[in-house]
Structure formats: structure tokens, C-alpha cells
Amino acid sequence: MLPEVTVPAADDGHWAATPAIALARAIESGLSSTDDTDAARERVQRRLSEELKTLQDTLSRHGNSASARMVEDGMVIDIVYQGRERAAPELAEALATEVGELTRILSAHEREILETHLITEVAGTLQELIGAAERQVRDMNTELEDRPTSTGMRLRLVWRASRKAPS
């Protein structure tokens, strides 16, 4: 048998609402617009099944698993990720860590590809510039050979790498 609760009357003669009654009224008011038909329940269950299937498919591609079990208050999803059962927040943290690691590895690989490409491109451009400079020196020496100075002296350009230049 439940204990009897005395609720004091308000100044206007009506019963005063206790916090529990006020909460119950607020919940009832909030739920009054909720669709609680069998069709709505079936839609929710179908959507839940579809989402579970998507989760299972996604996890299984990488050797992980998800399973569902019914409990009194609803459904519990058990997730096995990297050989350990994990709760949703722990799974989110593990996935974030893995994404960060893969991003770092990918960034290192991208950087390596970029550096290799740039080195190859710079080397090719440098080779073209050196070839052009050698042709220009040769052409200038041909012109200088054909045009001696007024005293009869012939000039010639010699192109050498600087002693300070890297090998």
C-alpha cells in the first residue's frame, strides 16, 4: 500500500502542484504529440535494424563486429573493435585515434610523394637551365671568335661552377 501524501491547497482553494506532479504534467504534455501507433513503432524498429546492419557491415569490413541484444528497456548494441568489446564513447575515441594516425601516415606518404615530385621537377628544370646556359656560352664564344678586338685579341668565355657551390 502506498503512503498517503498530503498536498497543501493553494491560496485560491485549488490543490498546489508538487514538483513531481509538475514534472508528470510536463512529460505528459511533451509526449502528447508523439506518434505512438503500431505503424510508428514498426518504422522506428525498421530504421533501427537498418542502422544496425549498416554498422555491422562497416565494422565487419575491417574485422570488427557489432551485435544487438534486447533488454527490458530497449536494445543494447555490443561492439567488438580490435578484439575488445567497447562502449560507444570508447569506440568513438578509438576511431578518432585511428583516423588521426592514418591521417599522419597518409600525410607523411603524401609529403614523400610531393618531395620526390618536386626534386624530380627541380632536377629537370635545373638540367634544362644548365643546358641553356652552356649553349649560350658556346654561342657567345662563336660570336667572339668571329669578332677579334681592334688589337687582334680574341676573347673567350669559360663557365665554371663556384668553389662555394654545393657538389
Side-chain angles (χ1 to χ4, degrees):
M1 179 165 186
L2 293 175
E4 191 173 307
V5 177
T6 304
V7 179
D11 292 337
D12 62 359
H14 292 88
W15 291 100
T18 64
I21 293 172
L23 177 62
R25 287 180 181 156
I27 291 171
E28 193 277 328
S29 174
L31 292 176
S32 65
S33 63
T34 302
D35 185 3
D36 61 353
T37 62
D38 287 341
R41 187 175 53 78
E42 288 172 10
R43 273 195 313 273
V44 169
Q45 286 179 335
R46 188 172 42 254
R47 173 89 189 276
L48 187 60
S49 294
E50 290 169 359
E51 294 294 333
L52 176 61
K53 178 77 171 114
T54 301
L55 178 63
Q56 288 171 329
D57 291 347
T58 303
L59 288 172
S60 69
R61 276 186 248 145
H62 302 286
N64 305 299
S65 66
S67 60
R69 59 187 161 91
M70 297 305 291
V71 294
E72 187 175 304
D73 295 336
M75 181 184 288
V76 174
I77 307 296
D78 297 311
I79 299 168
V80 177
Y81 178 74
Q82 295 178 337
R84 288 184 32 216
E85 191 167 308
R86 300 183 189 238
E90 187 182 356
L91 174 65
E93 186 178 315
L95 289 172
T97 301
E98 185 175 346
V99 166
E101 183 65 19
L102 290 174
T103 300
R104 186 188 62 76
I105 290 169
L106 184 58
S107 294
H109 184 67
E110 288 173 339
R111 188 171 41 253
E112 180 183 334
I113 289 171
L114 186 58
E115 287 172 357
T116 301
H117 177 71
L118 286 176
I119 288 170
T120 302
E121 189 173 323
V122 167
T125 302
L126 197 56
Q127 191 172 17
E128 289 174 16
L129 291 172
I130 290 171
E134 288 173 344
R135 284 189 298 279
Q136 189 173 10
V137 167
R138 188 181 61 241
D139 293 346
M140 289 178 156
N141 281 335
T142 300
E143 288 293 322
L144 289 172
E145 181 69 31
D146 293 342
R147 293 179 177 73
T149 63
S150 59
T151 61
M153 188 180 349
R154 295 187 189 271
L155 299 175
R156 181 171 69 96
L157 293 176
V158 178
W159 186 37
R160 293 187 204 136
S162 169
R163 290 186 187 121
K164 299 176 186 174
S167 59

